[in-house]
Structure formats: structure tokens, C-alpha cells
Amino acid sequence: TAARAVGARTRAIMPVHLYGNRAAAPDVGVAIVDDAAQAVGADLPVVHGVTSAVSCYPTKTWGAAGDGGFVLADDPEVLDRVRWLGSHGMLKGIAHWHESVDGVVGRNTRLDAIQAAVLLAIAPHLPAWVAARRAHAAEYDAALPASVRPLPRDVGSPVHQYIVRVPERDRVLAALQRDGVGAMAYYPWTLGQQPVLRDGRARITDTPVADRLAPELLALPVHERLTGAEREQVIASLWRAVGA
């Protein structure tokens, strides 16, 4: 649990609202920074903490034309610090005057004007896109083979990914891909298996649920441009792959 992971060096907890599902709100006595990258379009509030980070990578439901993202917060001071850090430490109207924020040097991580314009232009389409994803998910739910189970979804989930648990995931995934179905494994390895976190001070070992689920999870196409005929092709290919 989050409480067991908190130690003397812990400065913040980041709940990840994965696939659009709302992560539990940890009560651990430290700052909370939400990762809401996959939660755009959710009916229920997902923000637990002082800030929320949103990714606008092109594969996201609200995706830009390139890399991008932004931070949400109610506290003007927090937002000022974010702008400061993202703009070379320049925020006081003095050109080329760089300061640090609590000893942290700013960097160039601004959302550029072109990506901002793209996001504003497509924002009105988000409700229809989320509705299409939910409709695809409902059709999948009703048509899955008995051996394939959908991962539980929150009521009002934006269905950023449609995830199922399937035995022999890698074999089934290969069969789908041979049929031209753009299925993916999200995510094939747990944090504890990642080389950057496997050793040293950041070592992560206690993830039994993730370890159990990682070899089973499979993402089926659910994007808003998926047609009904394409969805039926996915379902037919999945039935052939699992054989039941």
C-alpha cells in the first residue's frame, strides 16, 4: 500500500489514474500529485492532491500534434512555481534573469503555442470522442469469449484503453497482430522489473498485484475513429485466437 511505501525520504505520492480508472486517494501525510494522463473525459473527479499532471501525447484521448502536457492546480503560488520551473526560472518580467525554485534550476518545458492551439481546437470534440469509446467498450463487453475478462472500469470512465485479462496473453497478442489488429500489451513489465528501478535506492520489489496482472493484460483497439466493422473484426480475431 501507499502508506507502507512512505519513508523518511518521501516527499510526494503520485496516484496514477490508469486507463481512465480513478486511483484510490492515499492518506499518507505527504503531498499528492495526481497523474491524470489517461483520465481526460472522466465523469468523476480524479484530482486528490495539490496538483494534477496531464499528458497530451498524440496517443492520448486529448492528444496534441506532438509532445505536450500541462499542470492543473487551484493554488496560484503552485502554478507560478510550475511556470517558473518550466520557463528557465524566469517569471519576474526581467528578461534573461534566471532564478532557482527551492534550489531547483528551471528548464525549458513550456507547452508551445502550436500545441496549445491544437488542443484548444479539438477540445470541443472530446465529449463525442469519449462517448464513442464508451460505446465500443460496451459492445466489447457483450461479445468477449468466456475466457476473456474485461478489466473493471469506473462508472463514467473515459475508456482511455480497453483492457482485458486473457490467458496466454503473448500468444493471443501475436495472433491478433497477424490478423492486422492493433492490439497492445499495456504494460508488459512492472516497475520492479524496470532496470532503472530494479537496483539502488529506488528499488521496488513489493508489487504482487502488478506482477500477477502484467502477463495477462491486453489492450484492444477502442479509439474514437474505430468503425463498427473494425470492432467486429477485432472480436472475430479474438475468438479465433482464444478458441472459446
Side-chain angles (χ1 to χ4, degrees):
T1 64
R4 291 191 331 187
V6 172
R9 298 175 59 247
T10 306
R11 295 294 177 266
I13 293 289
M14 179 173 282
V16 180
H17 306 297
L18 195 61
Y19 310 132
N21 285 335
R22 192 172 190 259
D27 183 12
V28 290
V30 297
I32 298 174
V33 179
D34 294 88
D35 179 347
Q38 299 185 8
V40 169
D43 286 351
L44 297 175
V46 296
V47 176
H48 298 315
V50 293
T51 60
S52 183
V54 179
S55 167
C56 296
Y57 188 73
T59 58
K60 297 296 188 290
T61 305
W62 193 16
D67 282 315
F70 54 89
V71 171
L72 303 171
D74 289 331
D75 188 336
E77 182 178 345
V78 170
L79 290 174
D80 279 345
R81 290 160 66 89
V82 171
R83 295 187 187 101
W84 200 345
L85 286 168
S87 188
H88 296 299
M90 296 186 297
L91 192 63
K92 294 185 177 179
I94 305 174
H96 307 296
W97 182 258
H98 306 272
E99 298 186 58
S100 64
V101 179
D102 291 337
V104 178
V105 177
R107 59 183 67 185
N108 182 16
T109 55
R110 299 180 292 259
L111 179 65
D112 70 73
I114 292 176
Q115 303 306 334
V118 169
L119 292 172
L120 289 174
I122 66 177
H125 300 285
L126 285 174
W129 290 353
V130 170
R133 288 169 175 262
R134 289 171 175 165
H136 288 314
E139 294 291 337
Y140 278 140
D141 287 346
L144 292 176
S147 61
V148 178
R149 292 176 291 166
L151 203 67
R153 298 189 304 277
D154 291 342
V155 174
S157 168
V159 197
H160 180 266
Q161 300 288 353
Y162 183 83
I163 306 296
V164 296
R165 295 179 63 179
V166 56
E168 301 182 83
R169 191 270 318 280
D170 292 341
R171 181 189 63 78
V172 172
L173 174 58
L176 292 174
Q177 291 177 339
R178 284 196 299 271
D179 283 349
V181 174
M184 293 285 291
Y186 289 117
Y187 297 91
W189 298 285
T190 65
L191 286 178
Q193 294 170 326
Q194 298 291 344
V196 70
L197 296 175
R198 196 165 50 211
D199 303 302
R201 293 187 302 174
R203 187 176 183 184
I204 296 175
T205 57
D206 188 15
T207 56
V209 175
D211 292 342
R212 185 175 71 253
L213 291 176
E216 301 179 3
L217 298 185
L218 177 68
L220 301 180
V222 75
H223 56 85
E224 58 277 356
R225 293 176 179 83
L226 187 73
T227 67
E230 290 169 336
R231 186 186 63 237
E232 293 306 312
Q233 178 187 350
V234 174
I235 294 170
S237 178
L238 183 61
W239 274 83
R240 288 193 297 269
V242 300

